[in-house]
Amino acid sequence: MIVTLKQILNKANKGNYAVGAFNINNMEIAQAIIRAAAAQKAPVILQTSEGAIAYAGMEYLRCIAYQAAKEKVPVALHLDHGRDLELVKKCIKAGWTGIMYDGSHLPFDENVKNTKKVAQWAHAKGMGVEAELGTIGGAEEKIVARQIIYTDPDAAEEFAKKTKCDALAIAIGTSHGAYKFEGAPRLDLHLLKTIKERLQMPIVLHGASGVPAWLVTQAARYGAQLGKPEGVPDEQIATAVSYGVNKINTDTDLRLAFDAAVRKFLTEKPEDFDPRHILAPARDLIQQIVEHRIKLFGSSGKA
Ligand code: G3H
Ligand code: 13P
Ligand code: ZN
């Protein structure tokens, strides 16, 4: 059933677990995620980036997500890293049930001003808003932030009070994409604990993909050239959940699974050109990855 981000995150905050927020760009990815959530009896957040909306179209993604939400688990449809205020308005109007306004690239006061405005629009419709303070590293299609600026706890408290946001994405050393660390993974989990103790509100971790070595090996075996990718180890995610993270974003792991499965199929069956045969193994592998992460986040059985 379709529910709001706020409902999902308030329950997770009370129950001390995290809900997976997975990026969708097409039907197969959405199906993989909802099958995983249904198998694990877990709430789930389907999120669309501005790039996903530009690629697939708003109405296609809305229909796919609402169809997925017919499963008997709570599903929120969330805008990921919304920066374009016109698009934010359109998503609120079109039936998205959660909005992330990302003003992390703006000076503090401007971020406050815009986030507050978006929170007012969303609250008027009974929806919650996720905001971001500090900068998460790495690159997405439309967002590049090379330098990580860790979230300051005093600023986070002031920001949450002034904006009335419902969830806060913080920067503790994670990066978007497959290349998160050079050398050992370094996350400031102590900073996360401090911020959670002071704010008590749902906290969000972006750039949290695990980049499993076996998946990278499979993709590489069938021709992918990925260099030296590095993700956040499962143990650090488990600690982050125990310190109060309630929403964990994952996209890169789904991309890797898609790539690994499609490459394997095309290599092993060069004579088969049926898109359904090509995409079904990718859907299955993404489901496997999502189920693993749902268990890691502690949201299995919380539907
Ligand atoms: O952080 C967000 C996701 O990985 C989305 O990436 O903007 O390329 O769709 P995208
Ligand atoms: P990853 O690139 O680590 O999967 O992070 C995705 C994300 O934060 C989407 O907002
Ligand atoms: Zn993100």
Side-chain angles (χ1 to χ4, degrees):
M1 65 219 100
I2 196 95
V3 298
T4 63
L5 176 82
K6 207 168 167 173
Q7 287 170 311
I8 286 186
L9 293 189
N10 286 348
K11 196 170 165 221
N13 195 17
K14 282 198 192 101
N16 301 312
Y17 59 90
V19 176
F22 301 98
N23 289 71
I24 61 167
N25 294 282
N26 65 15
M27 180 189 75
E28 283 80 4
I29 298 172
Q31 286 175 330
I33 298 163
I34 198 67
R35 287 177 189 186
Q40 292 298 321
K41 299 188 172 34
V44 75
I45 298 158
L46 300 177
Q47 56 184 13
T48 60
S49 66
E50 292 189 345
I53 293 172
Y55 168 76
M58 192 171 225
E59 192 54 15
Y60 271 102
L61 291 176
R62 191 193 68 80
C63 288
I64 288 170
Y66 271 72
Q67 181 61 31
K70 289 185 178 167
E71 283 292 339
K72 287 191 184 64
V73 291
V75 177
L77 173 58
H78 183 64
L79 175 66
D80 188 29
H81 291 287
R83 286 192 170 178
D84 172 351
L85 291 172
E86 285 310 307
L87 186 71
V88 165
K89 271 194 221 162
K90 280 188 195 157
C91 286
I92 294 176
K93 208 166 161 215
W96 266 243
T97 64
I99 297 290
M100 176 191 189
Y101 174 69
D102 178 1
S104 61
H105 56 300
L106 300 170
F108 182 84
D109 289 339
E110 231 174 299
N111 190 0
V112 167
K113 190 177 103 202
N114 288 0
T115 304
K116 197 171 160 184
K117 196 178 340 179
V118 172
Q120 283 166 353
W121 295 341
H123 292 164
K125 295 263 182 184
M127 290 162 61
V129 167
E130 171 190 344
E132 180 175 325
L133 191 64
T135 48
I136 292 148
E140 299 143 56
E141 202 169 280
K142 293 196 168 179
I143 300 168
V144 181
R146 302 225 173 274
Q147 198 201 353
I148 300 175
I149 302 166
Y150 286 72
T151 306
D152 172 68
D154 289 329
E157 210 172 335
E158 185 187 343
F159 184 84
K161 237 179 238 149
K162 285 187 166 162
T163 62
K164 303 212 166 25
C165 64
D166 305 273
L168 188 65
I170 59 169
I172 59 163
T174 58
S175 292
H176 291 105
Y179 308 94
K180 299 184 190 302
F181 308 102
E182 281 174 25
R186 276 166 284 109
L187 294 192
D188 192 344
L189 293 168
H190 180 73
L191 175 61
L192 156 64
K193 198 162 184 255
T194 305
I195 294 173
K196 181 70 179 202
E197 278 164 6
R198 286 178 59 172
L199 271 67
Q200 303 282 320
M201 66 194 298
I203 299 294
V204 184
L205 200 58
H206 283 246
S209 273
V211 188
W214 65 268
L215 204 51
V216 174
T217 305
Q218 177 175 322
R221 189 184 307 137
Y222 296 101
Q225 294 181 0
L226 298 171
K228 282 198 169 163
E230 200 67 60
V232 181
D234 282 3
E235 311 79 65
Q236 296 199 17
I237 292 291
T239 306
V241 174
S242 73
Y243 286 177
V245 161
N246 302 116
K247 173 176 181 278
I248 299 183
N249 288 12
T250 304
D251 187 6
T252 295
D253 285 354
L254 313 190
R255 295 177 180 196
L256 284 171
F258 190 94
D259 182 60
V262 169
R263 284 179 187 281
K264 181 171 187 285
F265 182 87
L266 291 175
T267 305
E268 290 176 349
K269 299 262 167 39
E271 73 289 354
D272 193 338
F273 60 95
D274 185 330
R276 295 166 298 187
H277 299 169
I278 298 167
L279 294 180
R283 185 170 57 185
D284 291 345
L285 195 55
I286 293 173
Q287 180 179 345
Q288 186 185 323
I289 294 291
V290 173
E291 285 200 50
H292 169 76
R293 292 190 68 78
I294 285 173
K295 286 188 245 173
L296 177 63
F297 302 163
S299 51
S300 272
K302 305 288 189 191

